[in-house]
Amino acid sequence: KELQERIKKDGIAVNEDILKVDSFINHQVDPVLMQHIGEAFAEHFKDQGITKVATIESSGIAPALMTAMCMGLPMIILKKQPSDFKRQSVPEEVTSFTKGTSYELTLSSKFVSEKDHVLIIDDFLANGEAATGAIRLIRKAHATIAGVGVLIEKAFQPGHEKLVSQGFDVYPLARISHMAKDEIEFLED
Ligand code: 5GP
């Protein structure tokens, strides 16, 4: 509810597809809100044997870090940039919702193994591309997926259905049912 209220106050619906939240999530970050978000994810995903919290750089890092802190676990950043550890991991190609271009996501096999049960945290769920790439990458490291926590789900886009139909526990903190320029409507519980 706190996040929903903040989106109503400071979120900007650029058009019917894209919500700008750069004054409290994506560019300037509200640490108190992030802490409350971390507590909410930690509460929902508690007692499930989760060993690590993973996110996709860069907007997922703040909420994932707070979640990891509340759960007393390490956080893993799935990297978008090609890097020198690429050879230790087969990259997953992901299409960016906001940019329309694709990028490669990588994860070092040093940090996730078959012993891990991983919670994925991201800022938005739209078409589910980023979450699907993260799931594939974590599975390639032979770990299991505990679920996917997202701050904002645009429920009118197909990501939620895609992930739930594969059996994943998807936990969105705010669910948007409809957007138009300067107009945001939420799915109420
Ligand atoms: P998906 O992969 O589910 O299609 O999109 C999720 C990713 O795209 C998120 O990691 C997020 O960074 C970005 N994204 C999707 N929709 C929006 C949006 O409305 N606003 C912003 N700022 N980012 C979005």
Side-chain angles (χ1 to χ4, degrees):
K1 285 286 170 248
E2 183 183 347
L3 177 60
Q4 188 166 312
E5 289 312 311
R6 189 62 178 270
I7 295 167
K8 280 184 192 161
K9 184 169 157 271
D10 293 330
I12 299 166
V14 179
N15 53 37
E16 57 195 29
D17 285 326
I18 302 219
L19 176 67
K20 244 178 118 165
V21 288
D22 59 358
S23 65
F24 57 108
I25 295 175
N26 285 158
H27 200 357
Q28 175 169 259
V29 179
D30 180 338
V32 176
L33 178 68
M34 289 303 148
Q35 187 180 354
H36 295 165
I37 284 168
E39 287 164 1
F41 285 137
E43 174 61 26
H44 179 83
F45 289 104
K46 72 180 177 197
D47 304 329
Q48 296 188 23
I50 293 169
T51 59
K52 281 175 187 176
V53 177
T55 191
I56 299 150
E57 66 175 353
S58 58
S59 300
I61 294 175
L65 181 64
M66 296 314 284
T67 306
M69 196 162 89
C70 291
M71 298 178 89
L73 299 173
M75 180 196 63
I76 311 262
I77 304 168
L78 305 180
K79 301 275 196 178
K80 283 180 184 168
Q81 305 304 325
S83 68
D84 55 356
F85 61 64
K86 208 164 154 181
R87 62 196 137 80
Q88 297 172 30
S89 146
V90 184
E92 270 301 326
E93 191 165 295
V94 172
T95 303
S96 161
F97 183 87
T98 43
K99 299 191 185 78
T101 51
S102 59
Y103 60 88
E104 286 184 339
L105 211 55
T106 54
L107 162 68
S108 169
S109 51
K110 272 196 293 193
F111 301 122
V112 175
S113 74
E114 72 283 352
K115 296 191 193 91
D116 286 311
H117 193 44
V118 182
L119 168 63
I120 297 167
I121 300 290
D122 202 9
D123 57 346
F124 277 91
L125 179 59
N127 291 335
E129 272 283 314
T132 301
I135 288 167
R136 286 210 208 103
L137 210 48
I138 290 163
R139 283 186 160 170
K140 270 186 194 164
H142 308 290
T144 50
I145 311 292
V148 180
V150 291
L151 276 57
I152 305 168
E153 174 187 291
K154 289 179 290 174
F156 54 92
Q157 290 163 348
H160 184 102
E161 195 40 49
K162 214 190 260 178
L163 297 177
V164 167
S165 68
Q166 293 172 69
F168 294 111
D169 177 9
V170 180
Y171 184 59
L173 296 181
R175 304 187 75 195
I176 296 176
S177 58
H178 172 81
M179 287 196 320
K181 190 164 168 30
D182 300 326
E183 225 183 276
I184 307 166
E185 283 167 26
F186 293 88
L187 276 183
E188 301 298 335
D189 292 340

